[in-house]
Amino acid sequence: MELLERLVLSSSGTAFARNKNLQNLLILTAIKAESSGGDGARTGRVMEYLRRMDNYDALDIAKVCTGAGLHEEAYTIYHKFERQEEALEVLLEHLKDYKRAEEYASRLDQPAVWSKLGEALLRDAGRVADGVRALLRAKDARPYLLVVESAREHGSDSDYALVAKYLRIVRAGLRGERRVVDTELAYAFCRCDKLHELHELLVGRNDADLEDIAERVFDEERWEAAKLLMTLTSNWAQLTRVLCELKEFDAALDSARKADKIEIWQTLACRCVDASELRIAHKAALRVVVEPDLMQDMISYYEDRGLFDALLALVDAALLLEAAHQALFTAAGVLYTKYRETAVLEFCHMWWQRCNVPQLVRACELAYLWTEVVYLQRQYGELDNATRTMMAHPSAWLASTFIEVVAAVRSLDVLYLAVRFYAEQHTDMLADLLLVLAPTAEPSRIVSILRAAPVASAPGLFGPVLGLLPESRVYLHKVIDSLGAEKTPLEVAEALLDVYFAEEALLHLRELIDTLRDFDQLALSERLESHANAEFRQLAVELHKRGGRHERAIELAKKEKLWKDAIAVAAHSADAELCEQLAEWFLANGMRESLTAMLYACYPTLLPDVGVELAWVNNALPLAMPFMVQTLSEVGARLTRLHETRETKRESEKEQKAEEEKEVNEDESVLLYGLASHYNQPNRMLALPAAGGGALYGGGGGGGGTVGGSPMMIGWNNYRTYAQQMYQTRAAMSQQQMMMSQRNAQMYQTGLHAAYATRAAQEAYATMSNR
């Protein structure tokens, strides 16, 4: 390479110095040397050779330099040999020195150079404004698509001012399809806020894609331009959003009406709420809350911003709409429980049928609105829960309401809880509750609850055993009256007995004992025996008498000196031995007058001989005289009745006998066939024995009275024989009458003996008979 350098460079003016091949060889050798040595091995010889020599193949050497990475050398070659486009290309594509490229283009000021510079700036550098300026200086409308593409990727608002200017020039000279140009031109006007020019463009003849432009400017939040485009395209939904961004809510409301989409109404309502435009928000939200899926979001939007009054006004207005649904009514009730508690009950009265009652009940429970909870549970048919709520929360309890609800409850457990509740907290109204529960609740269970209930006012008044039974006597009487004495439970009967015993209400106790059938008489009697009041002990005697415990009753009567009661018990017992013992006790204790009462009261039971004997032995016959007179009177009356009976019977028998005889005498068949045919018996008068002799003819000889061995029939010639039998029959009848008379006399004697059945009468009768 040094040899070539001396040949070409040192010998100026020689043939070697002007030799193209040597120059080419020297430059190529230097290029090879520098390219093989890397960036650190460059000596600048190539640039020196290029500047000092001018007889070489410039284009070829420039390409070799470009391939070897010697871009400055290549640029120098192109510039030296006035290859402007290639030089600019090296600056733009290889050196990426856009500033030098612009300076180079300015020095040259040629359309082709500006055009190439503009395309490079748009395509590679993303310098939209510089690129468009270069194209404008070149007046090159050909690469407008490149301008559009670069502007979309890298263009700013200021860049789009030049883009709009360029596209206007392009549009003016373009023939054919102008959709892309018109679209981008309109968009460029939007980007640089030239709305007047945009309006002129769009109202005139154009091929712009307005929907695409509208979406782009909407996404870029260019609201004024978007408003114009949405209006021109009648995109009311997007226009509503744009107007909301521009705070033009009245216009947004009109646009939303035209769009009439639920999501647009929701957007408008939310934006108005944020802007405190509650009037317009109210109108928009009315369209939203009638949609079940969006209602809760709208309500939450109001609640999150603390607009409770506006929210209640909204739901109140929505409830009157035809499209109001159950979820809306329920949500309105829930809101009332949160923000207007005083109006919840009125709301429930008006709208409970349109609400989801269980959900509204839960809301009222969370708000501690127990009166409203009870009302809803009653209307929904949850009477058991309503009763439990009133018992658990005193603020919800009302006497009339509670009684009305309990009367319809069917769960016995709830009824018993209600009784306990009243027994503990409303004792003064317990009687009213019990009267209502009487047809439904089990009386025995009620009694056990009342008996175990604590007495708050005077715990020692009736004792711990009675509890609240004294306050419940009306209920107990109603149970007895409704069920009847036979079906009254034992617990109810004993409860009322205990009450009257504790209160010493003797008259009521006696009346109740007379009414009841099933109760422990022995236990009550034992309690009455130990009572301090003599009248109660007398009642014990009565109970023992009813229970058949006559010996114990008499002993108690003796102890209490209740002589009349003792005599009544003896008479009731119908026991002759017991009556005799009591009479003997009276006489033994000097109470002779009591014998008269005993004989009178126990007359059906005490034997006459025993009574007279007791009187005679104890020298009290005058006291027994009424008894004796009564006894003799009854004996005489018995004998008289017996005699009359026998006489009546005897007369009846005579009349019957006369009738029979008359019937026999008047019957002609008796004359022909005998008495047996009258009584449907075999007629022995017509059939005689076959063997010798018959009953009527003496029966002599064998076969005398028969013809050929057969019975001999008789006729009218035997009348005398029949008459003889008839007379015999009458004689037998007379004999029978005599026997009946004797028998009647014997029966009369037996009756007399029975009449005088006492020992004294029998002895006297026996003495008289012996005499």
Side-chain angles (χ1 to χ4, degrees):
M1 187 176 64
E2 293 177 357
L3 177 61
L4 289 173
E5 185 178 349
R6 285 196 296 269
L7 289 175
V8 176
L9 297 178
S10 299
S11 58
S12 59
T14 63
F16 290 104
R18 294 189 300 271
N19 189 290
K20 179 183 289 190
N21 293 328
L22 290 177
Q23 290 184 6
N24 289 337
L25 181 59
L26 178 60
I27 293 172
L28 292 173
T29 302
I31 291 172
K32 185 177 181 180
E34 290 197 9
S35 62
S36 61
D39 294 338
R42 290 187 179 182
T43 59
R45 289 184 177 183
V46 176
M47 184 63 72
E48 181 183 357
Y49 295 157
L50 293 176
R51 289 175 181 174
R52 295 177 62 180
M53 296 183 294
D54 54 9
N55 190 20
Y56 52 84
D57 293 328
L59 296 178
D60 295 334
I61 295 300
K63 292 178 180 179
V64 173
C65 290
T66 301
L70 302 176
H71 303 299
E72 285 292 344
E73 288 78 359
Y75 169 73
T76 302
I77 294 172
Y78 287 133
H79 179 66
K80 183 178 181 179
F81 291 94
E82 298 181 356
R83 303 290 294 190
Q84 291 85 2
E85 294 183 7
E86 288 80 353
L88 184 61
E89 184 178 354
V90 171
L91 290 174
L92 296 174
E93 295 182 4
H94 299 289
L95 294 176
K96 305 295 182 182
D97 192 347
Y98 299 104
K99 185 176 181 181
R100 289 171 61 188
E102 291 178 7
E103 293 175 353
Y104 182 76
S106 298
R107 289 198 303 267
L108 297 178
D109 196 16
Q110 295 178 3
V113 174
W114 285 114
S115 179
K116 194 171 188 64
L117 175 61
E119 292 180 8
L121 291 173
L122 292 171
R123 182 178 57 252
D124 301 328
R127 295 168 60 178
V128 179
D130 295 337
V132 173
R133 286 193 190 97
L135 292 177
L136 288 173
R137 296 188 68 172
K139 298 181 181 180
D140 186 4
R142 177 181 49 83
Y144 69 91
L145 294 177
L146 179 60
V147 173
V148 171
E149 182 180 355
S150 180
R152 285 189 176 183
E153 294 181 3
H154 309 291
S156 63
D157 293 344
S158 58
D159 294 339
Y160 265 96
L162 292 173
V163 172
K165 182 178 179 181
Y166 176 77
L167 292 177
R168 273 185 171 181
I169 298 173
V170 173
R171 185 173 185 272
L174 189 63
R175 298 292 182 269
E177 180 65 33
R178 297 189 302 179
R179 183 179 181 82
V180 176
V181 176
D182 288 349
T183 300
E184 293 303 321
L185 179 58
Y187 178 71
F189 286 145
C190 295
R191 288 293 297 268
C192 58
D193 293 331
K194 294 182 178 181
L195 301 182
H196 180 69
E197 290 82 350
L198 174 63
H199 185 267
E200 290 181 352
L201 173 64
L202 297 180
V203 297
R205 183 180 179 278
N206 67 89
D207 295 331
D209 188 352
L210 298 183
E211 293 182 358
D212 178 66
I213 302 171
E215 291 180 3
R216 290 163 65 183
V217 297
F218 182 84
D219 294 339
E220 295 172 4
E221 299 182 357
R222 302 182 184 278
W223 306 122
E224 291 293 344
K227 174 183 176 183
L228 177 59
L229 291 169
M230 300 302 178
T231 304
L232 293 175
T233 58
S234 299
N235 190 343
W236 309 116
Q238 292 292 68
L239 178 60
T240 303
R241 294 188 174 96
V242 171
L243 293 172
C244 289
E245 297 295 337
L246 295 173
K247 310 299 182 184
E248 299 177 7
F249 295 109
D250 289 321
L253 181 61
D254 295 335
S255 178
R257 290 195 181 100
K258 295 176 181 179
D260 198 20
K261 293 182 179 180
I262 188 61
E263 57 272 12
I264 299 304
W265 286 114
Q266 184 179 20
T267 301
L268 177 59
C270 293
R271 297 305 300 273
C272 290
V273 168
D274 293 338
S276 299
E277 290 287 342
L278 300 181
R279 178 182 61 84
I280 300 176
H282 178 87
K283 295 179 180 180
L286 283 177
R287 303 295 187 94
V288 179
V289 293
V290 295
E291 297 293 333
D293 296 337
L294 302 177
M295 176 200 67
Q296 192 57 48
D297 294 339
M298 193 75 261
I299 292 175
S300 300
Y301 203 84
Y302 271 82
E303 285 185 301
D304 294 342
R305 287 150 183 80
L307 303 174
F308 307 128
D309 292 337
L311 178 58
L312 290 175
L314 171 64
V315 295
D316 285 341
L319 295 181
L320 302 178
L321 298 178
E322 185 178 355
H325 47 83
Q326 186 186 54
L328 178 58
F329 282 94
T330 306
V334 173
L335 292 175
Y336 269 85
T337 62
K338 293 180 180 179
Y339 311 120
R340 196 176 292 172
E341 296 88 347
T342 57
V344 174
L345 187 58
E346 181 181 358
F347 176 86
C348 294
H349 286 159
M350 293 179 61
W351 303 115
W352 72 268
Q353 292 178 321
R354 302 288 300 274
C355 296
N356 184 334
V357 176
Q359 184 177 349
L360 188 55
V361 167
R362 288 192 293 272
C364 291
E365 290 174 347
L366 293 176
Y368 302 104
L369 302 175
W370 303 113
T371 302
E372 290 76 3
V373 170
V374 171
Y375 176 81
L376 291 173
Q377 289 173 338
R378 289 180 60 194
Q379 300 303 321
Y380 199 59
E382 296 181 351
L383 301 179
D384 296 354
N385 292 336
T387 305
R388 294 178 186 274
T389 301
M390 284 189 281
M391 291 188 292
H393 305 283
S395 62
W397 177 84
L398 187 64
S400 58
T401 303
F402 190 85
I403 293 297
E404 182 180 352
V405 172
V406 168
V409 170
R410 292 294 175 264
S411 175
L412 294 179
D413 294 337
V414 176
L415 296 181
Y416 301 142
L417 288 176
V419 175
R420 291 190 178 93
F421 172 69
Y422 264 60
E424 295 174 0
Q425 301 188 25
H426 302 285
T427 309
D428 55 333
M429 301 180 183
L430 179 61
D432 297 335
L433 176 65
L434 294 177
L435 292 178
V436 172
L437 300 184
T440 306
E442 177 63 32
S444 302
R445 183 77 176 273
I446 297 293
V447 169
S448 64
I449 294 173
L450 297 175
R451 191 181 290 274
V455 181
S457 58
L461 182 60
F462 302 113
V465 177
L466 295 182
L468 293 175
L469 288 176
E471 287 82 354
S472 309
R473 64 172 64 85
V474 176
Y475 163 73
L476 299 175
H477 273 295
K478 183 174 181 179
V479 172
I480 295 175
D481 294 341
S482 61
L483 297 180
E486 293 77 7
K487 297 182 180 180
T488 299
L490 178 62
E491 294 81 358
V492 176
E494 293 183 348
L496 195 55
L497 289 172
D498 291 344
V499 171
Y500 287 144
F501 181 83
E503 295 178 351
E504 297 186 357
L506 181 62
L507 296 179
H508 294 294
L509 184 61
R510 187 181 298 276
E511 181 180 354
L512 183 62
I513 290 174
D514 293 339
T515 303
L516 296 177
R517 295 291 182 270
D518 184 15
F519 66 95
D520 193 349
Q521 295 184 3
L522 179 59
L524 181 60
S525 301
E526 292 175 351
R527 293 171 61 189
L528 292 171
E529 287 180 12
S530 60
H531 202 281
N533 193 328
E535 293 181 345
F536 283 84
R537 296 194 296 273
Q538 183 180 9
L539 184 58
V541 174
E542 179 68 20
L543 285 178
H544 283 309
K545 181 184 74 173
R546 290 187 182 184
R549 298 177 294 277
H550 301 99
E551 294 83 355
R552 186 168 179 177
I554 291 175
E555 291 300 324
L556 180 60
K558 292 177 182 179
K559 180 180 177 181
E560 300 295 332
K561 298 182 180 182
L562 302 173
W563 317 129
K564 180 180 179 180
D565 294 312
I567 294 173
V569 171
H572 181 270
S573 67
D575 187 346
E577 183 178 357
L578 186 62
C579 294
E580 183 178 354
Q581 292 176 359
L582 180 61
E584 291 176 353
W585 186 86
F586 280 133
L587 293 172
N589 287 273
M591 292 179 286
R592 301 173 60 189
E593 293 79 2
S594 299
L595 177 63
T596 302
M598 276 290 301
L599 294 175
Y600 175 78
C602 302
Y603 179 80
T605 304
L606 195 63
L607 297 176
D609 60 330
V610 173
V612 174
E613 182 180 359
L614 288 174
W616 179 66
V617 170
N618 291 276
N619 196 21
L621 284 176
L623 298 177
M625 188 56 63
F627 173 76
M628 296 173 62
V629 171
Q630 180 65 27
T631 301
L632 291 176
S633 175
E634 286 192 1
V635 169
R638 290 178 183 176
L639 291 176
T640 301
R641 288 195 300 271
L642 180 61
H643 178 71
E644 292 176 353
T645 301
R646 299 308 306 161
E647 290 296 328
T648 301
K649 184 177 181 180
R650 184 176 300 170
E651 293 295 332
S652 176
E653 290 176 352
K654 287 182 179 180
E655 292 178 358
Q656 183 178 0
K657 181 178 179 182
E659 290 291 336
E660 291 178 354
E661 289 181 354
K662 182 178 180 181
E663 183 180 359
V664 170
N665 294 331
E666 293 178 355
D667 192 354
E668 296 179 357
S669 63
V670 174
L671 299 176
L672 296 175
Y673 306 108
L675 190 61
S677 64
H678 179 75
Y679 294 102
N680 295 324
Q681 295 180 358
N683 193 342
R684 299 179 180 178
M685 297 175 62
L686 303 180
L688 299 178
L696 296 179
Y697 298 101
T706 62
V707 180
S710 60
M712 181 181 66
M713 303 299 295
I714 63 174
W716 294 100
N717 55 349
N718 293 326
Y719 176 72
R720 294 182 61 188
T721 303
Y722 164 72
Q724 184 179 0
Q725 287 184 354
M726 182 176 65
Y727 294 148
Q728 291 176 355
T729 302
R730 291 179 178 175
M733 290 177 62
S734 299
Q735 185 179 2
Q736 182 181 4
Q737 291 178 357
M738 185 179 296
M739 292 177 62
M740 291 294 295
S741 299
Q742 294 177 357
R743 183 178 178 184
N744 291 339
Q746 184 179 359
M747 291 178 62
Y748 177 74
Q749 294 297 329
T750 304
L752 290 177
H753 184 269
Y756 296 95
T758 61
R759 285 183 292 177
Q762 289 177 5
E763 292 176 359
Y765 182 76
T767 303
M768 293 176 64
S769 299
N770 293 330
R771 290 179 182 179

